């Protein structure tokens, strides 16, 4: 069986592949470059943190509690138990990124197939859309907190709770793009040529929807990071003595007047990671826009 596949019309200069065009647009965007560098450094530090952290996260030094940043041996100071703040931030960022990746992967694994089905099959659309509306009736954080409270406090449960709370957004984005792609000529040509629904979804619609899915993932990651921080702050996420940026904030709030750096520094890291992902996601969306070369 021969299946027609009509490529998307592109107005970029001849000889450039789509990947090359996207990379070129990203390199021309200073904010994209800066945010990518920040994320790359954060990922490397988080990955290597168990080996490059100056101290073990549970190591205490009661003779140097609330040491100020710049103290010899403690670049970012210590907390109420004399634990090194830098080491705990490094391991806490690692935990936040782990939860974010697991949460987004969970939402994509469930949300993408449901979004494809809702956008392509009219009979399934009503059921899946009503299911999505039901989930959207609950605010994101309320749903995440409820699921985490039911399943228990742990890194895995926090990731699952945040991931499930993000499924409605993924379904809506994928459904919308599937409806758009379904109306294009190359999909109609494949159907007329005798291609099955599964073939059309797998070989035509899903590959052309990857850009939207990728952008949605970059937007969902900072939301997941904030969600994990909130759950850990409330005691429903990662449990001590394991480090978490959220638990560091929860503990430091009791001593904010005496040691403000213990609360400010984890908050700055959370804000920096979320901002970098958001900026890079916006830049990636613009770079993947097929109309970009027309401007």
């Amino acid at each position: 069986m021969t299946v027609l596949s009509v490529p998307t019309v592109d107005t970029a200069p001849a000889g450039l592949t789509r990947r090359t065009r996207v990379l070129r647009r990203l390199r021309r965007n200073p904010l994209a470059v800066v945010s990518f560098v920040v994320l790359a450094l954060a990922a490397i530090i988080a990955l290597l943190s168990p080996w490059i952290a100056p101290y073990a996260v549970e190591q205490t030094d009661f003779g140097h509690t609330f040491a100020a940043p710049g103290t010899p041996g403690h670049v970012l100071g210590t907390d109420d138990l004399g634990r090194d703040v830098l080491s705990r931030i490094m391991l806490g960022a690692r935990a936040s990124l782990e939860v974010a990746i697991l949460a987004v992967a969970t939402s994509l694994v469930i949300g993408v197939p449901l979004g494809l089905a809702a956008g392509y099959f009219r009979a399934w659309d009503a059921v899946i859309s009503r299911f999505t509306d039901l989930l959207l009736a609950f605010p994101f954080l309320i749903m995440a907190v409820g699921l985490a409270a039911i399943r228990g406090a742990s890194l895995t449960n926090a990731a699952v709770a945040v991931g499930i709370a993000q499924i409605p957004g993924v379904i809506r984005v994928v459904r919308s793009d599937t409806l758009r792609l379904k109306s294009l000529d190359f999909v109609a040509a494949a159907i007329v040529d005798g291609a099955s629904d599964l073939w059309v979804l797998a070989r035509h619609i899903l590959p052309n929807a990857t850009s939207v899915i990728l952008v949605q993932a970059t937007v969902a990651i900072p939301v997941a990071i904030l969600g994990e921080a909130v759950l850990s702050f409330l005691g429903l996420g990662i449990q001590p003595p394991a480090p978490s940026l959220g638990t560091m904030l929860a503990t430091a709030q009791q001593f904010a007047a005496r040691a403000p750096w213990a609360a400010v520094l984890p908050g700055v890291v959370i804000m920096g990671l979320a901002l970098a992902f958001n900026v890079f996601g916006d830049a990636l969306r613009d770079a993947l826009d097929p109309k970009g070369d027309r401007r």
Side-chain angles (χ1 to χ4, degrees):
M1 177 182 66
T2 303
V3 180
L4 297 178
S5 179
V6 180
T8 304
V9 176
D10 203 329
T11 59
L16 292 179
T17 64
R18 185 167 184 265
R19 178 180 299 178
T20 303
R21 292 192 298 271
V22 171
L23 292 176
R24 184 183 63 178
R25 294 174 191 168
L26 288 174
R27 287 197 300 267
R28 290 179 176 178
N29 188 335
L31 289 178
V33 174
V34 172
S35 60
F36 177 79
V37 171
V38 171
L39 294 177
L41 289 175
I44 293 173
I45 292 173
L47 184 64
L48 301 178
S49 57
W51 299 277
I52 64 176
Y55 300 90
V57 292
E58 67 277 1
Q59 182 176 341
T60 58
D61 184 359
F62 294 108
H64 293 85
T65 59
F66 297 119
T71 301
H74 300 286
V75 177
L76 298 183
T78 61
D79 62 8
D80 58 308
L81 298 178
R83 295 173 298 189
D84 185 63
V85 173
L86 175 60
S87 300
R88 293 183 63 78
I89 285 179
M90 292 170 66
L91 272 297
R94 175 189 175 95
S96 294
L97 291 176
E98 285 179 352
V99 170
I101 292 173
L102 288 173
V104 172
T106 300
S107 65
L108 293 180
V109 167
I110 299 174
V112 170
L114 291 177
L116 290 172
Y120 191 82
F121 300 103
R122 179 170 298 182
W124 291 17
D125 187 19
V127 177
I128 296 175
S129 295
R130 298 297 77 76
F131 169 72
T132 304
D133 292 340
L134 176 63
L135 294 179
L136 288 173
F138 299 93
F140 170 81
L141 287 178
I142 297 298
M143 182 181 295
V145 169
L147 291 171
I150 293 172
R151 292 181 54 86
S154 70
L155 185 148
T156 302
N157 290 343
V160 171
V162 174
I164 292 176
Q166 290 184 320
I167 290 176
V170 175
I171 293 177
R172 284 205 160 184
V173 169
V174 176
R175 174 185 177 274
S176 176
D177 204 49
T178 301
L179 288 172
R180 178 186 67 84
L181 293 170
K182 184 182 176 182
S183 64
L184 298 181
D185 292 340
F186 70 91
V187 174
I191 295 174
V192 170
D193 198 55
S196 65
D197 293 333
L198 184 59
W199 180 273
V200 172
L201 284 170
R203 296 297 299 272
H204 297 285
I205 292 182
L206 181 58
N208 284 280
T210 52
S211 298
V212 172
I213 296 172
L214 184 59
V215 172
Q216 177 65 19
T218 59
V219 173
I221 287 178
V223 177
I225 291 175
L226 294 175
E228 182 278 326
V230 171
L231 292 179
S232 296
F233 184 86
L234 297 175
L236 298 173
I238 301 170
Q239 296 298 293
S244 167
L245 298 177
T247 55
M248 291 180 68
L249 286 173
T251 303
Q253 68 173 339
Q254 309 171 50
F255 314 102
R258 182 177 180 184
W261 59 86
V264 171
L265 294 175
V268 169
V269 173
I270 293 173
M271 181 184 68
L273 288 175
L275 180 61
F277 272 111
N278 275 320
V279 171
F280 186 74
D282 289 341
L284 183 61
R285 179 193 58 202
D286 294 338
L288 291 170
D289 186 355
K291 299 179 182 178
D293 286 313
R294 301 178 187 176
R295 302 189 186 104

